[in-house]
Amino acid sequence: MFDFNRITQETDLYNLHTHSQYCDGHAPMEEFVTEAIAQGFTHLGFTPHSPVSVESPVNMSREQVQQYFDEVERLRGIYGDRISLYTAMEIDYVGMGDGPASDYFTRLPLDYRIGSVHFIPAIDGSGEMVDIDGKFPGFKARMAEHFNNDIEYVVNTFFSQMMAMVDEGGFDIVGHMDKIGFNASQYCDSIDEEPWYDKLVIDLFENIMDHHLTIEINTKAWLQSNRFFPNLKYFGMLKRFNAPVVVNSDAHYPTLINSGRLEAIKLLNVL
């Protein structure tokens, strides 16, 4: 099993959630490596969005997977004496049997796996899987087109997908566990402050703890939107239950590999 505790005890300068040219990142992997070294990082993990069974412009294809593995090995050969590089993947949970626990992903020689939910089924029962991640204008358009503007359905379904993913397993880190709250709260002000929403987060947290998984504090939205995933208000729960945590920037640009991370670590430590 990958030793996240060793890294987090050794240094604050790591990032285990990084996207590059193999998915929706905005620079080649080598630029992330050289930037990480320049910033004093000692650990960097690459996590391209996994191949998926649904149409998606941001996920890598299966044909690219070996190219990705080869590129990590090439970079290790050049930079391995200065930084530890990890071959990982952010694996989408799409539905039962279609996610991190599937045979395809469990057989890949990955150092670790992040499990995430970006797609949920449309409200019409057609089985169409719809992306509920990304920027708010696209989310708002999909609310009308695929979900009859039923924000409670979207929130509840996101968390039910997360719960199912945790139950099925096959991964090490829970990615941005309450990210739906970001778009949902823009669509319906303060929905993420309502008791029923809090219960969904707490139930998910308890399930994650029962399965002995590591929780990611995702800092991608901190710089622009002053928000972490999980939300800052849940940091106390992480500390109270001594939850295993890694703090990742979910970087898509090399210059943002440390964005929000040190702020999150500081806030976590003062609780």
Side-chain angles (χ1 to χ4, degrees), residues 34 38 52 60 62 102 107 150 203 222-223 239 263:
T34 56
V52 285
M60 72 190 308
R62 291 197 180 193
S102 71
R107 290 172 181 168
D150 188 341
D203 287 349
W222 180 253
L223 187 65
K239 292 289 286 187
E263 293 88 340

Side-chain angles (χ1 to χ4, degrees), residues 99-209:
S102 71
D103 288 345
Y104 175 75
F105 291 115
T106 57
R107 290 172 181 168
L108 289 178
L110 297 167
D111 292 315
Y112 61 88
R113 296 159 172 82
I114 297 176
S116 297
V117 170
H118 299 94
F119 301 89
I120 67 170
I123 201 170
D124 63 5
S126 65
E128 179 182 5
M129 301 302 293
V130 181
D131 183 4
I132 45 79
D133 199 64
K135 296 181 179 180
F136 180 70
F139 176 83
K140 185 177 180 181
R142 289 187 288 274
M143 282 296 302
E145 183 178 356
H146 299 284
F147 302 115
N148 293 341
N149 295 310
D150 188 341
I151 190 62
E152 290 193 18
Y153 167 84
V154 169
V155 170
N156 276 295
T157 305
F158 171 84
F159 281 104
S160 69
Q161 290 283 94
M162 289 289 291
M163 292 284 277
M165 179 183 74
V166 170
D167 288 339
E168 287 193 36
F171 63 100
D172 309 286
I173 301 173
V174 181
H176 43 62
M177 61 175 281
D178 66 340
K179 194 177 182 187
I180 189 60
F182 184 52
N183 276 332
S185 63
Q186 294 178 76
Y187 188 84
C188 181
D189 187 44
S190 299
I191 192 172
D192 56 339
E193 299 294 331
E194 296 182 12
W196 65 270
Y197 181 96
D198 277 339
K199 185 177 187 308
L200 291 172
V201 176
I202 292 167
D203 287 349
L204 175 59
F205 172 79
E206 291 176 348
N207 198 26
I208 292 167
M209 291 296 92

Side-chain angles (χ1 to χ4, degrees), residues 179 218-223 227 229 248-250 252 259:
K179 194 177 182 187
N218 186 302
T219 66
K220 179 182 178 180
W222 180 253
L223 187 65
R227 183 146 185 165
F229 313 117
N248 292 328
S249 65
D250 195 352
H252 289 62
S259 179

Side-chain angles (χ1 to χ4, degrees), residues 32-43:
F32 286 91
V33 175
T34 56
E35 180 66 26
I37 292 171
Q39 292 193 31
F41 275 54
T42 53
H43 301 273

